[in-house]
Amino acid sequence: MNVPSEHLLQLKNELPAGVTLVAVSKFQPLQAILEAYGAGQRLLGESRAQELKSKQAQLPADIQWHFIGHLQLNKVKLIAPYVALIQSIDSYRLLEEVNRQAQKNGRIIACLLQLHLAREESKFGFTPQACREMLASGRWKELTHIHLQGVMGMATNSEDSELIRSEFCSLHNFFLQVKQEFFPGDASFSICSMGMSDDYPIAIAAGSNMVRIGSKIFGNR
Ligand SMILES: *Cc1c(COP(=O)(O)O)cnc(C)c1O
């Protein structure tokens, strides 16, 4: 049997101050999420819009939901009324659509830019170059209902910890460069979200300040 509350408390003890824990509850039943909630967890991550919508409607209103999966343009409206942070912005068109839906809901939605670092082609995200070009165009500054707060990325799913380390280090460097170049004096561009159950210690050593952990808390999906 899984004991989310116990795993959660262990993890919280282990994480350095300044590293925010997002408990990834995708594919987990409401009961398991309520147990984590009971242990004090308020920050949860989901990767499917329809699943998030259904869970959000049934679970306590003070949960802050982060969206971490690939988000299709036509699904943005399902999460725009309540999502706290969309970590997986992987195109300018998606950013525009989030802006549009946020405006409709009278909200400003916080967003992270997802970078593609891993060797796997299956993963989504901007290449560093495409991300830079998007920021350099300056068009995003006209989007008044989104708030860019940092970057997110996943390392290659591999046993090679040196490869993982180098991917996380390059994302962290990219974060620092982009922050300096495009967000000078903007203290809220501050999130470098990297690290999952199997690689979060490496991510934290490389500069992560937000980890997204699922199976280590809830057990296998
Ligand atoms: C599923 C998922 C996680 C959590 O993965 P675990 O290995 O269960 O910790 C983190 N980030 C993203 C983007 C995910 O899709």
Side-chain angles (χ1 to χ4, degrees):
M1 219 187 90
N2 297 328
V3 192
S5 57
E6 224 170 83
H7 296 155
L8 195 60
L9 296 177
Q10 271 171 18
L11 200 53
K12 288 220 152 173
N13 272 334
E14 192 189 316
L15 294 179
V19 176
T20 301
L21 172 63
V22 179
V24 176
S25 54
K26 63 186 185 199
F27 312 137
Q28 299 296 341
L30 298 181
Q31 200 47 51
I33 301 174
L34 281 170
E35 200 187 323
Y37 181 88
Q41 185 67 21
R42 294 293 179 273
L43 215 51
L44 294 171
E46 287 283 336
S47 62
R48 295 191 180 183
Q50 191 61 57
E51 181 178 348
L52 172 51
K53 179 180 156 77
S54 148
K55 285 175 170 172
Q56 192 272 340
Q58 297 176 75
L59 287 163
D62 64 339
I63 293 175
Q64 290 167 263
W65 294 101
H66 287 197
F67 194 82
I68 62 171
H70 178 60
L71 183 54
Q72 289 170 280
L73 295 177
N74 63 351
K75 301 281 174 66
V76 175
K77 58 179 178 296
L78 300 180
I79 66 171
Y82 52 83
V83 69
L85 176 65
I86 299 177
Q87 297 205 10
S88 45
I89 299 293
D90 56 8
S91 71
Y92 186 73
R93 286 180 69 204
L94 178 57
L95 201 57
E96 280 181 318
E97 179 59 13
V98 171
N99 184 65
R100 183 166 25 247
Q101 296 298 335
Q103 188 156 22
K104 272 194 184 168
N105 284 277
R107 306 186 64 215
I108 292 174
I109 298 181
C111 295
L112 305 183
L113 300 168
Q114 181 173 355
L115 273 293
H116 181 107
L117 328 160
R119 300 253 167 114
E120 291 108 311
E121 299 205 344
S122 60
K123 295 203 165 118
F124 290 96
F126 290 97
T127 63
Q129 192 192 343
C131 188
R132 256 174 195 293
E133 284 169 9
M134 191 276 285
L135 290 169
S137 83
R139 284 169 67 202
W140 56 277
K141 292 180 186 164
E142 293 158 22
L143 306 178
T144 50
H145 291 259
I146 55 104
H147 184 190
L148 292 179
Q149 296 194 337
V151 301
M152 184 271 264
M154 276 181 276
T156 302
N157 186 2
S158 161
E159 300 286 297
D160 181 353
S161 55
E162 191 45 46
L163 173 66
I164 295 169
R165 200 189 65 81
S166 74
E167 290 174 348
F168 283 147
C169 284
S170 57
L171 179 57
H172 185 248
N173 280 333
F174 181 81
F175 164 69
L176 294 177
Q177 285 167 14
V178 155
K179 180 174 171 57
Q180 189 175 30
E181 196 170 335
F182 299 103
F183 301 89
D186 177 358
S188 64
F189 191 89
S190 59
I191 301 175
C192 182
S193 171
M194 48 189 203
M196 320 192 345
S197 292
D198 288 337
D199 58 20
Y200 71 91
I202 307 175
I204 292 170
S208 168
N209 57 17
M210 182 172 280
V211 292
R212 310 173 310 272
I213 298 184
S215 46
K216 197 176 156 86
I217 296 171
F218 294 105
N220 291 328
R221 289 179 290 269

